[in-house]
Amino acid sequence: AQSVSQHNHHVILSEAASLELGCNYSYGGTVNLFWYVQYPGQHLQLLLKYFSGDPLVKGIKGFEAEFIKSKFSFNLRKPSVQWSDTAEYFCAVNAAGTYKYIFGTGTRLKVLA
Amino acid sequence: SQTIHQWPATLVQPVGSPLSLECTVEGTSNPNLYWYRQAAGRGLQLLFYSVGIGQISSEVPQNLSASRPQDRQFILSSKKLLLSDSGFYLCAWSGLAEYEQYFGPGTRLTVT
């Protein structure tokens, strides 16, 4: 069965620190990959996505993620976090050609000013 | 632009009572529609999805059901709520040619 693992459940960083959130999935076929973010009191929204092509994708607010097929990973990065990045981050996988999306358990990021 | 609505925003219901949560989408036609439940520390669990009117696929056997009576309306129901049905329910839509999902504001359900 497909699954998505986010190993970091809670992360606390100071402003200007670098961020990397891990995401690993289990599925042998072609996948579409997503990172979503939920800011306090707001809807879940798309941060970035990967369908094909360049495995390094850039999203909103300076975030980027790299798809490493051999490692079944899609880690999220940001070189310098801001207090406003405090949110919960979800990795999601869609098996290409299907309507099913599997979400990770989420990572709560707190950035200290 | 597209908008997704969910109501009610919060709901407190006794065990054994019925449930009806509604989701509507504006600004798009023939969307794929989804119901998720979000539990603390457990991420989002896909409950149902629909690719068209009257077409419902269930991902998790449980006490809930879904219906799509109109193209842009998706309803989550239960005949008799259980304590374990408490949670945060999210509706989402995606386009036919796209795979990213757009989420609604959610409904916080507490079963007492």
Side-chain angles (χ1 to χ4, degrees), chain A:
Chain A
Q2 299 170 41
S3 65
V4 177
S5 297
Q6 291 182 244
H7 305 294
N8 313 102
H9 298 296
H10 292 90
V11 174
I12 301 175
L13 295 172
S14 298
E15 274 194 315
S18 64
L19 170 72
E20 180 160 4
L21 301 182
C23 174
N24 288 89
Y25 65 93
S26 63
Y27 182 69
T30 303
V31 293
N32 301 309
L33 299 161
F34 309 85
W35 276 97
Y36 287 87
V37 61
Q38 188 168 30
Y39 297 102
Q42 296 189 27
H43 302 194
L44 262 173
Q45 58 186 278
L46 183 70
L47 199 56
L48 48 78
K49 61 186 177 184
Y50 171 82
F51 290 166
S52 63
D54 188 345
L56 184 62
V57 294
K58 296 189 183 299
I60 61 172
K61 303 186 179 184
F63 286 89
E64 64 179 32
E66 184 175 13
F67 171 46
I68 303 179
K69 189 174 182 179
S70 60
K71 294 185 178 180
F72 299 89
S73 70
F74 190 54
N75 292 353
L76 181 70
R77 301 194 293 248
K78 186 170 183 179
S80 176
V81 295
Q82 300 173 317
W83 177 81
S84 58
D85 293 324
T86 295
E88 190 161 16
Y89 294 81
F90 294 90
C91 180
V93 174
N94 161 250
T98 76
Y99 297 99
K100 292 181 62 173
Y101 295 74
I102 307 297
F103 280 76
T105 53
T107 296
R108 287 183 183 267
L109 171 66
K110 184 171 184 178
V111 180
L112 304 175

Side-chain angles (χ1 to χ4, degrees), chain B residues 18-66:
Chain B
L19 173 74
S20 181
L21 302 182
E22 190 164 343
C23 170
T24 58
V25 181
E26 296 178 356
T28 187
S29 297
N30 199 20
N32 298 322
L33 296 172
Y34 306 81
W35 278 112
Y36 288 89
R37 179 165 54 205
Q38 184 178 12
R42 298 182 62 184
L44 277 71
Q45 181 186 36
L46 179 62
L47 303 176
F48 302 94
Y49 67 89
S50 171
V51 300
I53 296 173
Q55 301 179 61
I56 308 296
S57 295
S58 173
E59 288 300 302
V60 183
Q62 57 202 329
N63 187 41
L64 302 170
S65 62

